[in-house]
Amino acid sequence: MSKLTAGGRFRKALEETNPLQIVGTVNAYHAMMAERVGHRAVYLSGGGIANASYGLPDLGMTTMNDVLEDVRRVSSAVETPLIVDIDTGWGGAFNISRTIKETIKAGAAGCHLEDQVAQKRCGHRPNKEIVSTEEMVDRIKAAADAKTDDDFFLIARTDAFQMEGLNAAVDRAQACLEAGADAIFAEAVHTLDDYKAFADGIKGANLLANITEFGATPLFNKTELAENGVNMVLYPLSAFRAANQAALNVFEAILRDGDQKAVIDTMQTRMDLYDFLNYHDFEQKLDALFKEGKNK
């Protein structure tokens, strides 16, 4: 039997897990930890890449190559399939086509492509602008046509719910599915009833809920979401936010106290770090190589 591609591994995880939880991992090490504890899909947020890798706000300021660098790092470190935020695709049809091809080459299992204008904003902020349904459909067609792996999972993200209401958002989502999208990412949905209506409107097609903290969507439980038609649940920046607060606490304690004793209990130990990295396996291999060299 031939080995599944990254896209194939994602589709297998989605088929076997309902709902499939997809956790944000802002770097390769976080992805390794998520994989070790049993998560079956990981995610790179465009906002997370901008924030963590470049110190920029989530305002469409990063490039395709900026994102691909982090995609390669994560996909090289884990077998767990990776979903990537490609924002608006970085241009017109030819740019979107190139983005899809390069994202597959970099090892991603899938991506989501959104319907905001190129000068995009965070999906949970005011004053967003979206393109017409026709333009979004053209984006999805370009992306679907560019796939070099049939199993690469293409998600159409729409911000239309917050901008134009449920019916318009459902109509747009259905058009995206007909254009070749494998799933719908309904951004900034407010209630479980809205998710149920959305799922019914797209006739039970794959539906992703973005359960991000401090945003427009409550922190619904995965069981609640599954009962209302959602089969993918995304947690884009949960671990990143927790790590940021932990780091801030350490920086402040060291400055205040002159040492890190008060926060040592909040840190991952050296041995746990080594365990996730399989450090000792590398060290033993190094020892064996040096021993062989000495015996020659």
Side-chain angles (χ1 to χ4, degrees):
M1 183 181 293
S2 61
K3 184 178 178 182
L4 290 173
T5 64
R9 294 198 301 276
F10 181 82
R11 290 175 185 271
K12 185 173 189 291
L14 182 60
E15 181 181 335
E16 294 176 351
T17 313
N18 186 31
L20 178 62
Q21 294 176 289
I22 308 170
V23 289
T25 53
V26 295
N27 55 44
Y29 184 67
H30 278 197
M32 293 170 76
M33 288 196 291
E35 181 175 72
R36 177 77 69 87
V37 301
H39 281 287
R40 299 196 61 184
V42 295
Y43 174 74
L44 272 173
S45 153
I49 292 169
N51 303 161
S53 294
Y54 296 94
L56 294 171
D58 184 18
L59 291 169
M61 299 166 71
T62 49
T63 68
M64 178 186 76
N65 285 327
D66 291 337
V67 171
L68 289 175
E69 182 62 37
D70 280 0
V71 173
R72 284 187 286 267
R73 289 171 176 171
V74 171
S75 64
S76 295
V78 296
E79 284 292 306
T80 302
L82 170 67
I83 300 296
V84 182
D85 177 0
I86 63 167
D87 288 341
T88 62
W90 295 290
F94 292 136
N95 304 75
I96 291 170
S97 176
R98 179 167 177 251
T99 296
I100 296 298
K101 288 180 168 63
E102 294 297 326
T103 302
I104 294 171
K105 282 183 187 177
C111 69
H112 65 75
L113 177 64
E114 67 191 61
D115 60 358
Q116 285 197 48
V117 298
Q119 196 61 53
K120 60 151 289 175
R121 298 175 184 236
C122 168
H124 291 256
R125 296 292 298 159
N127 302 320
K128 297 182 294 186
E129 292 186 37
I130 59 176
V131 299
S132 67
T133 297
E134 291 74 22
E135 183 170 343
M136 180 56 176
V137 164
D138 286 343
R139 288 179 182 179
I140 296 299
K141 285 180 177 177
D145 185 62
K147 292 199 314 187
T148 54
D149 171 17
D150 289 341
D151 283 336
F152 185 76
F153 200 80
L154 177 60
I155 304 169
R157 170 182 146 169
T158 178
D159 286 80
F161 177 86
Q162 198 174 38
M163 306 303 298
E164 299 179 344
L166 175 65
N167 291 336
V170 167
D171 289 344
R172 181 177 290 236
Q174 191 60 49
C176 289
L177 291 167
E178 292 169 2
D182 295 298
I184 298 299
F185 175 158
E187 180 66 303
V189 174
H190 300 151
T191 71
L192 291 170
D193 286 343
D194 289 331
Y195 277 119
K196 180 67 165 61
F198 216 108
D200 290 344
I202 60 174
K203 301 176 177 60
N206 293 311
L207 179 61
L208 181 147
N210 184 24
I211 305 302
T212 185
E213 304 81 17
F214 317 112
T217 305
L219 303 183
F220 296 122
N221 184 271
K222 67 174 186 176
T223 301
E224 294 177 300
L225 291 163
E227 289 170 349
N228 286 279
V230 171
N231 67 336
M232 292 175 282
V233 187
L234 178 65
Y235 311 87
L237 292 170
S238 305
F240 176 59
R241 290 192 173 100
N244 290 347
Q245 186 60 53
L248 183 60
N249 292 343
V250 169
F251 297 146
E252 290 175 342
I254 290 173
L255 189 64
R256 180 188 65 242
D257 302 335
D259 60 49
Q260 64 273 54
K261 294 172 187 173
V263 290
I264 195 75
D265 289 344
T266 69
M267 297 182 189
Q268 184 185 51
T269 67
R270 183 186 299 272
M271 290 309 295
D272 283 344
L273 171 70
Y274 287 176
D275 181 48
F276 279 106
L277 291 170
N278 298 312
Y279 175 90
H280 292 103
D281 291 344
F282 286 96
E283 197 172 61
Q284 288 165 12
K285 179 64 174 177
L286 196 61
D287 290 343
L289 289 171
F290 275 118
K291 185 176 180 180
E292 288 175 10
K294 289 177 181 178
N295 291 334
K296 287 183 179 179

